[in-house]
């Protein structure tokens, strides 16, 4: 009997499912998301997929899941009633934050809302020095009394962050044990398990976010596990981490802060895999779904990686793929601001009610409605499961935009797309040009339901020559979940100036990281013998604020290895900041270890894309709005395309879950792996420059 590995990505509008059987064949499904209970859409999609291909749910051997539960909980400020317990004198670290300002000269800067009010930020007697020496043991009676008071007033979750616990977590561990013994129903998070590295504010806020979203995330994972069991799916449930690796559902329930960028990470993993098996090694990934537009950069087959970032103004410190996200998806709503200018997003119609053309009660025009009006998409989405109403879309644009903008319907719809595209272009510039990367040397890899629809115009504006549309672009993030390995990330802080570095001390800490990773792997019932271990170090110039992560050649360093790492730091500092100072001393800050278990991922090199026979329709013609006029265009079903075939625009290529749009004189060729390589016609740019 065939076995099936299933990847599920839940977006704001659609839930995407990809199943790959043990012969390497793809099976795809797409259903509307169910925001009130995401597991409903997930189970429905899996049931549809298995029934469609005559399979039983019992054949599923793994479910890999990308989730936005933690992200949405944080963004909507819908987390648990959370308290913070910290060292005496440090209850206001969370409020003080950092001195750096996002806009230095603005008088109207608003800090993000503090997740825990001062009344729920409590102090306890304990103290650890920066050397790791415990100066004051934890006052256990004081802690018990304090927690009892918090429980009485309704606190559901507690974040514990003691001073210098990254170097010696003894007092934190003791506090956690006491809370679990005395208050077993209370959720508790300690910083030494979430982020055992220095920087007091970042460590505190990351721990607080974990505690804030944990009850909802844990409830979701348990609820999903029950629904999977009820649907006769007993397979392990794996959750995508922000770092591009998978973790068990049990780990995700307790360390849920690591899933904050879980959703878009799957697509980037799919892009990395694409770069490995194709000749296209430098890619800009453009993932446009129903609510957001996510962009990342693949250089020489590897995605960018960061150990710190920001979500809605909150700094986060944990390993994650470098992804820029804006509120520009198919459901993003067009509106007129106070100055009379057309704006698009970030508010989205989501899955319910969805765009106006969905006929589900939406009244505000969206990007999807504009694409429908201009003939860039047809009146059937998701393989025909969603029928679009053109008249409703036109009426909404006419009533809400045309009069205010003094434009006709086509001009207003085109304006929606131009504004949206401008926002997406700025996102690409932010992650390329602002980091010293010339986007003209890259190809755009477009996926998501609307990515291939907008990618050609975006590429034209950036003077990028090629756009690539991989197989199954509408389900690509779900597909990427299936190539993601199990991953573990460990860190230890070791702040030492270059002249005082001790090789033996470094190697000892690297051994500690290795042993910690092995214990976690064995805890999750995986085998560590075939794992890949990658050690690295965070380095900086002495007294500099920010670090650069530098790979280490081995887990047992000698002077040659150390000097090579320092030399690499100087080189990378020049690349990232435009200068370096070889004569200045370098400082070690953190040692890191990343472990991947590759036996749980698959390679799609030999896979074939299989859809229902009913999806293979004859090609036809339609009309679309280009250059101020309506033109006849070819509408081509992607399932009819074979390697080597060429198409010249204007054309619309349709498939389950996505549409690719070619403008006049754009052209594409179908590559051997069935991806579409589009040659973007720069004619419009040349005319503008003349």
């Amino acid at each position: 009997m065939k076995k099936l590995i299933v990847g599920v990505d839940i977006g704001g509008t659609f839930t995407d499912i990809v199943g790959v059987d043990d012969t390497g064949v793809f099976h795809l499904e797409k259903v509307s998301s169910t925001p009130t209970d995401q597991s409903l859409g997930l189970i429905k999609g899996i049931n549809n997929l298995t029934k469609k291909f005559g399979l039983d749910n019992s054949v599923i051997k793994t479910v890999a899941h990308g989730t936005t539960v933690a992200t949405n909980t944080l963004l909507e400020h819908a987390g648990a009633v959370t308290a913070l317990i910290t060292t005496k004198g440090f209850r206001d670290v969370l409020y003080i934050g950092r001195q750096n300002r996002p806009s230095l000269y603005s008088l109207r800067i608003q800090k993000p809302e503090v997740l825990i009010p001062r009344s729920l930020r409590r102090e306890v007697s304990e103290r650890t020095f920066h050397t790791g020496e415990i100066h004051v043991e934890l006052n256990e009676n004081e802690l018990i009394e304090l927690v009892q008071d918090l429980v009485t007033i309704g606190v559901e979750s507690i974040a514990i962050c003691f001073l210098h616990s990254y170097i010696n977590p003894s007092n934190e561990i003791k506090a956690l044990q006491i809370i679990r013994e005395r208050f077993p129903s209370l959720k508790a998070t300690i910083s030494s398990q979430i982020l055992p590295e220095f920087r007091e504010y970042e460590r505190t806020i990351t721990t607080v976010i974990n505690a804030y979203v944990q009850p909802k995330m844990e409830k979701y994972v348990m609820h999903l596990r029950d629904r999977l069991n009820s649907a006769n799916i007993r397979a392990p449930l794996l959750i995508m981490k922000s770092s591009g690796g998978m973790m068990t559902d049990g780990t995700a329930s307790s360390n849920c802060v690591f899933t904050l960028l879980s959703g878009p990470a799957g697509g980037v993993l799919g892009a990395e895999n694409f770069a490995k098996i194709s000749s296209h090694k430098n890619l800009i990934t453009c993932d446009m779904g129903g609510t957001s537009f996510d962009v990342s950069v693949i250089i020489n087959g590897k995605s960018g990686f960061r150990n710190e970032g920001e979500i809605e103004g909150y700094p986060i410190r944990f390993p994650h793929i470098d992804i820029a996200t804006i509120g520009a998806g198919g459901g993003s709503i067009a509106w007129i601001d106070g100055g009379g200018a057309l704006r698009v997003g970030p508010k989205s119609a989501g899955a319910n009610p969805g765009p106006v053309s969905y006929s589900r009660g939406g009244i505000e025009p969206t990007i999807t409605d504009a694409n429908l009006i201009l003939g860039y998409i047809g009146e059937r989405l998701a393989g025909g499961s969603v029928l679009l109403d053109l008249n409703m879309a036109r009426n909404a644009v006419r009533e809400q935009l045309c009069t205010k903008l003094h434009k006709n319907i086509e001009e207003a719809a085109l304006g929606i797309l131009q504004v949206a595209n401008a926002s997406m272009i700025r996102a690409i510039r932010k992650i390329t040009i602002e980091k010293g990367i010339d986007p003209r040397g890259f190809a755009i890899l477009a996926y998501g339901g609307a990515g291939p629809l907008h990618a050609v115009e975006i590429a034209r504006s950036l003077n990028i020559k090629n756009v690539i549309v991989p197989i199954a672009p509408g389900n690509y993030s779900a597909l990427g979940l299936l190539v993601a390995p199990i991953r573990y990330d460990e860190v230890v802080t070791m702040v030492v100036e270059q002249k005082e570095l001790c090789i033996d001390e470094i190697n000892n800490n690297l051994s500690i990281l290795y042993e910690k990773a092995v214990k976690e792997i064995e805890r999750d019932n995986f085998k560590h013998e075939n794992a890949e271990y990658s050690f690295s170090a965070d380095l900086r110039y002495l007294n500099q604020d920010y670090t650069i992560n530098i790979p280490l050649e081995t887990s047992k360093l000698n002077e040659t290895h150390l000097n090579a790492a320092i030399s690499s730091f100087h080189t990378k500092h020049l690349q990232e900041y435009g200068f370096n100072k070889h004569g200045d001393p370098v400082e070690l800050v953190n040692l890191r270890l990343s472990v991947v278990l590759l036996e749980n991922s698959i390679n799609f090199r030999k896979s074939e894309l299989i859809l229902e026979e009913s999806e293979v329709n004859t090609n036809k013609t339609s009309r679309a709005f280009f250059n101020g006029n309506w033109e006849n265009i070819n509408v081509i079903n992607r399932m009819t395309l074979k390697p080597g075939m060429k198409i010249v625009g204007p054309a619309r290529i349709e498939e389950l879950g996505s549409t690719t749009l070619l403008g006049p004189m754009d052209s594409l060729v179908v590559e051997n792996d069935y991806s579409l390589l589009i040659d973007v016609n720069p004619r419009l740019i040349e005319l503008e420059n003349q």
Side-chain angles (χ1 to χ4, degrees):
M1 180 181 292
K2 287 184 179 180
K3 293 294 183 180
L4 205 64
I5 300 175
V6 175
V8 184
D9 178 62
I10 300 179
T13 304
F14 288 104
T15 294
D16 303 323
I17 299 96
V18 173
V20 178
D21 63 32
D22 44 20
T23 65
V25 175
F26 288 93
H27 305 286
L28 308 180
E29 182 59 37
K30 182 181 283 281
V31 298
S32 294
S33 294
T34 50
T36 56
D37 184 352
Q38 292 187 356
S39 65
L40 291 175
L42 184 151
I43 296 298
K44 179 182 179 181
I46 292 178
N47 285 337
N48 287 355
L49 183 140
T50 52
K51 289 178 182 178
K52 181 187 296 185
F53 296 97
L55 302 172
D56 184 84
N57 284 348
S58 62
V59 305
I60 297 174
K61 63 179 183 180
T62 304
V63 177
H65 179 26
T67 175
T68 58
V69 170
T71 310
N72 292 340
T73 300
L74 177 62
L75 298 182
E76 296 167 6
H77 286 201
V81 179
T82 307
L84 170 67
I85 299 178
T86 187
T87 307
K88 276 192 182 298
F90 289 86
R91 70 187 295 191
D92 290 324
V93 164
L94 199 62
Y95 177 79
I96 296 169
R98 296 290 299 277
Q99 187 176 351
N100 56 328
R101 296 158 60 92
S103 182
L104 186 60
Y105 301 106
S106 174
L107 300 177
R108 297 183 178 181
I109 291 178
Q110 290 186 337
K111 289 185 177 181
E113 179 183 334
V114 178
L115 292 174
I116 300 178
R118 197 169 195 270
S119 62
L120 296 181
R121 303 198 298 267
R122 305 294 181 85
E123 300 173 345
V124 69
S125 298
E126 75 83 36
R127 190 61 179 258
T128 302
F129 288 154
H130 74 282
T131 59
E133 176 191 352
I134 295 181
H135 180 61
V136 177
E137 293 284 349
L138 174 67
N139 188 321
E140 298 183 15
N141 292 331
E142 184 180 343
L143 174 70
I144 294 170
E145 183 178 341
L146 187 155
V147 175
Q148 181 62 64
D149 180 56
L150 292 172
V151 171
T152 302
I153 61 179
V155 166
E156 303 167 288
S157 185
I158 290 180
I160 302 171
C161 190
F162 293 160
L163 192 65
H164 301 308
S165 61
Y166 60 86
I167 199 71
N168 184 349
S170 298
N171 279 346
E172 277 194 358
I173 293 173
K174 187 182 297 182
L176 180 64
Q177 292 172 341
I178 292 171
I179 291 174
R180 286 180 173 173
E181 291 173 2
R182 296 295 188 99
F183 309 94
S185 62
L186 186 65
K187 306 302 177 186
T189 300
I190 59 175
S191 70
S192 52
Q193 289 184 357
I194 297 297
L195 188 65
E197 59 181 281
F198 88 141
R199 292 192 184 277
E200 210 59 31
Y201 173 60
E202 284 83 352
R203 187 162 57 91
T204 302
I205 187 62
T206 304
T207 306
V208 164
I209 290 174
N210 192 85
Y212 184 70
V213 302
Q214 182 187 358
K216 183 168 284 191
M217 183 67 174
E218 184 177 73
K219 182 179 179 181
Y220 169 74
V221 171
M222 293 176 63
H223 181 59
L224 177 56
R225 181 71 265 174
D226 289 341
R227 285 198 180 276
L228 289 171
N229 292 340
S230 298
N232 195 30
I233 303 172
R234 309 286 176 175
L237 173 63
L238 301 177
I239 307 292
M240 170 62 82
K241 299 171 66 174
S242 304
S243 62
M246 307 301 293
M247 58 181 167
T248 64
D249 53 351
T251 303
S253 294
S254 57
N255 294 354
C256 44
V257 71
F258 300 138
T259 69
L260 283 176
L261 297 173
S262 169
V268 179
L269 264 292
E272 267 195 358
N273 185 75
F274 179 86
K276 289 177 183 177
I277 63 177
S278 77
S279 60
H280 307 286
K281 304 300 181 185
N282 296 324
L283 302 168
I284 298 171
T285 69
C286 291
D287 178 6
M288 184 177 179
T291 57
S292 66
F293 175 78
D294 306 306
V295 57
S296 186
V297 178
I298 308 291
I299 300 177
N300 294 326
K302 291 289 186 180
S303 60
F305 208 76
R306 300 182 65 188
N307 289 309
E308 57 184 311
E310 185 178 286
I311 295 181
E312 285 293 293
Y314 298 109
I316 52 173
R317 282 187 70 86
F318 51 76
H320 61 277
I321 295 174
D322 192 5
I323 300 173
T325 300
I326 62 170
S332 294
I333 293 171
W335 53 286
I336 306 295
D337 67 15
L342 176 63
R343 304 283 296 276
V344 180
K347 184 181 178 182
S348 173
N352 187 17
V356 175
S357 54
Y358 280 22
S359 303
R360 296 176 182 171
I363 60 174
E364 298 172 291
T366 66
I367 292 175
T368 294
D369 297 315
N371 278 310
L372 177 64
I373 289 169
L374 297 172
Y376 298 164
I377 58 175
E379 297 183 21
R380 299 170 72 242
L381 290 183
S385 63
V386 178
L387 300 179
L388 305 184
D389 190 316
L390 175 60
N391 289 330
M392 291 188 70
R394 289 179 63 87
N395 289 338
V397 170
R398 180 191 298 110
E399 294 171 3
Q400 298 196 36
L401 300 179
C402 288
T403 301
K404 297 177 182 178
L405 295 173
H406 305 290
K407 303 287 186 182
N408 62 36
I409 293 176
E410 288 78 12
E411 290 171 337
L414 189 61
I416 292 173
L417 301 188
Q418 289 172 338
V419 171
N421 286 347
S423 296
M424 291 184 268
I425 290 166
R426 284 194 296 271
I428 293 175
R429 288 179 179 274
K430 181 177 180 180
I431 206 166
T432 56
I433 295 172
E434 291 184 15
K435 296 186 177 182
I437 299 171
D438 186 348
R440 294 174 296 182
F442 291 70
I444 287 180
L445 186 72
Y447 53 91
L453 194 58
H454 291 253
V456 172
E457 284 305 313
I458 291 172
R460 201 185 326 274
S461 297
L462 291 167
N463 209 11
I464 293 174
K465 180 176 175 56
N466 293 124
V467 171
I468 303 168
V469 182
I471 56 174
N475 297 61
Y476 207 67
S477 288
L479 184 150
L481 296 171
L482 302 184
V483 300
I486 303 292
R487 177 171 176 141
Y488 297 85
D489 294 283
E490 313 294 348
V491 61
V492 61
T493 290
M494 183 181 175
V495 183
V496 184
E497 187 180 343
Q498 181 177 346
K499 65 181 181 181
E500 298 176 354
L501 286 173
C502 172
I503 295 292
D504 290 340
E505 186 179 359
I506 293 175
N507 287 334
N508 180 60
N509 278 319
L510 294 177
S511 296
I512 291 173
L513 291 178
Y514 173 81
E515 292 168 3
K516 184 178 179 181
V518 168
K519 288 181 180 179
E520 293 185 3
I521 294 169
E522 292 176 343
R523 176 203 63 197
D524 293 336
N525 297 317
F526 295 121
K527 296 179 180 179
H528 65 85
E529 287 79 7
N530 297 324
E532 292 186 359
Y533 298 86
S534 300
F535 294 89
S536 64
D538 292 342
L539 301 178
R540 66 184 181 185
Y541 288 119
L542 186 63
N543 298 323
Q544 194 177 33
D545 192 21
Y546 295 102
T547 63
I548 295 178
N549 184 257
I550 301 298
L552 298 176
E553 296 180 21
T554 177
S555 61
K556 292 185 178 180
L557 301 181
N558 55 33
E559 290 291 339
T560 301
H561 297 138
L562 186 58
N563 290 334
I566 293 173
S567 177
S568 296
F569 167 76
H570 290 301
T571 300
K572 195 167 183 180
H573 198 283
L574 177 64
Q575 293 173 347
E576 292 200 8
Y577 296 104
F579 74 97
N580 59 17
K581 295 185 177 181
H582 282 278
D584 283 12
V586 174
E587 188 174 39
L588 170 64
V589 177
N590 297 308
L591 294 171
R592 298 184 183 274
L593 167 63
S594 296
V595 186
V596 296
L597 307 180
L598 297 176
E599 68 267 21
N600 291 283
S601 61
I602 58 177
N603 191 319
F604 292 134
R605 182 188 295 270
K606 297 181 180 180
S607 297
E608 298 179 22
L609 180 63
I610 303 298
L611 295 179
E612 289 180 294
E613 289 298 321
S614 61
E615 288 299 312
V616 183
N617 300 316
T618 56
N619 300 327
K620 55 186 179 182
T621 60
S622 184
R623 289 172 63 79
F625 194 79
F626 291 107
N627 304 321
N629 298 295
W630 286 96
E631 298 187 24
N632 293 323
I633 66 168
N634 294 315
V635 180
I636 301 167
N637 190 291
R638 186 168 180 178
M639 294 305 296
T640 65
L641 300 181
K642 304 298 180 185
M645 294 180 65
K646 296 182 179 180
I647 298 171
V648 177
R652 195 172 79 209
I653 296 90
E654 297 180 338
E655 59 185 301
L656 176 70
S658 190
T659 300
T660 300
L661 182 69
L662 295 184
M665 302 308 296
D666 297 324
S667 62
L668 70 78
V669 62
V670 183
E671 298 204 292
N672 290 334
D673 61 357
Y674 287 84
S675 61
L676 309 180
L677 177 62
I678 300 173
D679 188 16
V680 179
N681 175 30
R683 180 176 59 88
L684 296 178
I685 295 176
E686 293 171 358
L687 289 175
E688 290 175 359
N689 292 335
Q690 289 178 356

